[in-house]
Amino acid sequence: MHGKTVLITGSTAGIGKETARALVARGAHVILVGRDPGRAEAAATELARGAGRAEAMTADVFDLRGLRELAARVRERGGRLDALVNNAGANTGRRRLTADGVETMFAAHVLTPYTLTWELLPLLRGGGRVVNVTGGIPGAPIELDNLQAEKRFLGWTFSQYNHTKTMLMAMSHRMAERLREHDVAVNVVYPGHGDTPMNRRTAMSAFPYVYRPLAPLVRLIAPLAFGDLAKPARSSVHLAASAEVDGVSGAYFGQNLRRRPWPRTVLDERVRDAVWDLCEKLSA
């Protein structure tokens, strides 16, 4: 990774930060993106002790204006971008809208990766990699009339968090097709569970009803079972840096670094059309 540049959203803490740490250790120049300037600078200073370099940028990537201003700054700094890791996430306990009027988790997990990839496409052309990070329990059917939780936000087993993480997969599948002509690889990774700051902050009201009795137990054992965040970061590092995936695009990788079959709902053309069309509409 020496001489290569990687941008990672949501990289001032949690799995994103550990992904950045591993890539800096391999010699990459990593652009860490976070909302808080102090945390971003502190993370960059900490990680810059590796073989590569770390640079901090701040932006509200869930806001289209902030997202486009970030992309403009990255383009202005010059050079190419070898990898973009769309890692930023959110998990709210109730339906909330961004300043653009978009449901927050749809914005975080689907619209932000879609928009930022297109904005940075000039820097990625000719061999760049896009790594989109899914999570939760993805793979359940996508409700085409409920993409932004207009009808329901939670159910016994349904949550908008898992819903949008599955929609991210559908969007990524379509984006891989669209960017093939630009020689840009787009893949999805499932990192597995981690005791991250976001997970620790997640309100009980964000859990589907059937899982709520288990939530206190999971939180109790999480620091011991999932405290090493270098493990869930491995899948993103692999897709961003490994020569083993040269030329691979439109694939879904698990936490064991192996390809996994796409969920049936992601392979439904109607689903991909609906998610893609909504992203085009909202980003226009």
Side-chain angles (χ1 to χ4, degrees):
M1 291 298 287
H2 286 275
K4 294 189 175 182
T5 301
V6 181
L7 185 146
I8 309 174
T9 63
S11 50
T12 60
I15 295 172
K17 185 178 179 181
E18 293 309 310
T19 302
R21 189 190 306 279
L23 292 172
V24 170
R26 294 184 181 208
H29 180 153
V30 178
I31 302 171
L32 297 96
V33 179
R35 293 187 180 190
D36 183 89
R39 287 177 58 188
E41 289 292 346
T45 299
E46 176 188 341
L47 300 189
R49 299 166 188 163
R53 296 174 55 202
E55 173 185 354
M57 288 193 177
T58 56
D60 181 356
V61 296
F62 303 161
D63 173 81
L64 287 172
R65 179 177 178 180
L67 192 64
R68 290 182 170 125
E69 288 175 351
L70 167 67
R73 295 201 304 272
V74 176
R75 293 194 301 267
E76 289 168 2
R77 66 187 293 280
R80 67 169 282 107
L81 190 62
D82 296 282
L84 165 64
V85 181
N86 289 303
N87 172 81
N91 195 358
T92 62
R94 59 183 177 83
R95 188 175 190 267
R96 295 177 180 172
L97 303 182
T98 67
D100 301 304
V102 180
E103 192 277 318
T104 296
M105 283 187 281
F106 185 90
H109 304 145
V110 190
L111 186 60
T112 288
Y114 170 91
T115 305
L116 189 56
T117 301
W118 281 115
E119 290 284 335
L120 295 177
L121 183 58
L123 307 184
L124 289 162
R125 284 192 179 104
R129 300 180 180 187
V130 177
V131 181
N132 291 333
V133 183
T134 190
I137 309 174
I142 293 175
E143 298 183 345
L144 298 183
D145 60 349
N146 192 46
L147 298 183
Q148 294 193 71
E150 298 95 334
K151 294 191 173 182
R152 65 170 179 151
F153 183 81
L154 284 171
W156 285 101
T157 59
F158 175 94
S159 77
Q160 180 67 356
Y161 180 85
N162 295 329
H163 197 212
T164 54
K165 284 295 190 178
T166 307
M167 283 189 271
L168 167 66
M169 299 168 76
M171 183 277 291
S172 302
H173 193 289
R174 174 60 54 82
M175 181 165 277
E177 298 170 353
R178 296 294 179 91
L179 297 191
R180 189 167 289 119
E181 64 181 281
H182 300 285
D183 190 21
V184 175
V186 181
N187 294 297
V188 173
V189 295
Y190 181 81
H193 299 293
D195 183 33
T196 66
M198 187 187 81
N199 286 340
R200 291 193 293 270
R201 291 194 305 266
T202 299
M204 189 68 67
S205 57
F207 289 90
Y209 302 127
V210 75
Y211 300 126
R212 288 186 186 180
L214 298 174
L217 177 61
V218 172
R219 286 181 168 171
L220 182 65
I221 67 172
L224 294 174
F226 309 120
D228 181 4
L229 296 181
K231 291 182 179 179
R234 290 184 308 167
S235 53
S236 294
V237 174
H238 181 69
L239 265 292
S242 177
E244 294 179 21
V245 293
D246 282 344
V248 175
S249 187
Y252 173 36
F253 285 78
Q255 61 200 90
N256 60 358
L257 314 186
R258 296 179 181 176
R259 292 181 68 156
R260 298 173 64 172
W262 289 103
R264 183 181 301 177
T265 187
V266 172
L267 298 177
D268 188 329
E269 191 76 20
R270 297 171 305 161
V271 167
R272 297 201 300 272
D273 286 344
V275 175
W276 189 264
D277 291 347
L278 182 56
C279 286
E280 281 190 329
K281 175 183 175 181
L282 293 175
S283 66

